[in-house]
Amino acid sequence: MTTVKVDKSNFQADVLNANVPVVVDFWAEWCGPCKQIAPALEDIATELGAKVKIAKLNIDENPELAAQFGVRSIPTLMIFKGGEVADMKVGAAPKTALSHWINGSLA
């Protein structure tokens, strides 16, 4: 599975009502560290397949969702399970660290 784009129109259905854990990457075009982790998130999405959904939410296009979840710095990654935030990570990290963090949340 590849990463999916979410915004205010599909956030409820694709994230909050998802039947698998969802990692939401709160990012922006101008954010260097966000662009740095994007390929790693694509790889992880492919590796984990249907076990997890990885979604990208552009905070410039969806400021109300960023505010709703208290995003103050990007990249911010949140893992949603059953419509609730289960874990959060702020800042860029290498693929191995991201993969370990995501896999740990699936256990």
Side-chain angles (χ1 to χ4, degrees), residues 12-34:
Q12 182 77 35
D14 287 359
V15 177
L16 301 180
N17 296 339
N19 55 2
V20 295
V22 182
V23 177
V24 178
D25 173 18
F26 291 85
W27 72 287
E29 274 300 329
W30 48 264
C31 169
C34 298

Side-chain angles (χ1 to χ4, degrees), residues 5-104:
K5 182 179 178 183
V6 293
D7 57 32
K8 62 184 175 220
S9 70
N10 64 354
F11 194 84
Q12 182 77 35
D14 287 359
V15 177
L16 301 180
N17 296 339
N19 55 2
V20 295
V22 182
V23 177
V24 178
D25 173 18
F26 291 85
W27 72 287
E29 274 300 329
W30 48 264
C31 169
C34 298
K35 291 180 178 181
Q36 218 175 353
I37 67 168
L41 292 174
E42 286 286 345
D43 288 350
I44 293 166
T46 301
E47 289 164 11
L48 293 177
K51 285 193 257 177
V52 69
K53 182 188 294 186
I54 298 187
K56 297 179 69 65
L57 184 132
N58 186 316
I59 64 161
D60 288 338
E61 296 171 1
N62 302 277
E64 62 289 326
L65 282 171
Q68 179 182 339
F69 292 101
V71 175
R72 288 179 170 67
S73 177
I74 55 172
T76 291
L77 300 170
M78 292 186 190
I79 297 178
F80 288 81
K81 286 183 178 176
E84 300 288 322
V85 177
D87 202 359
M88 183 171 93
K89 185 177 208 49
V90 178
K95 179 185 172 192
T96 51
L98 292 172
S99 186
H100 180 73
W101 177 67
I102 292 168
N103 277 308

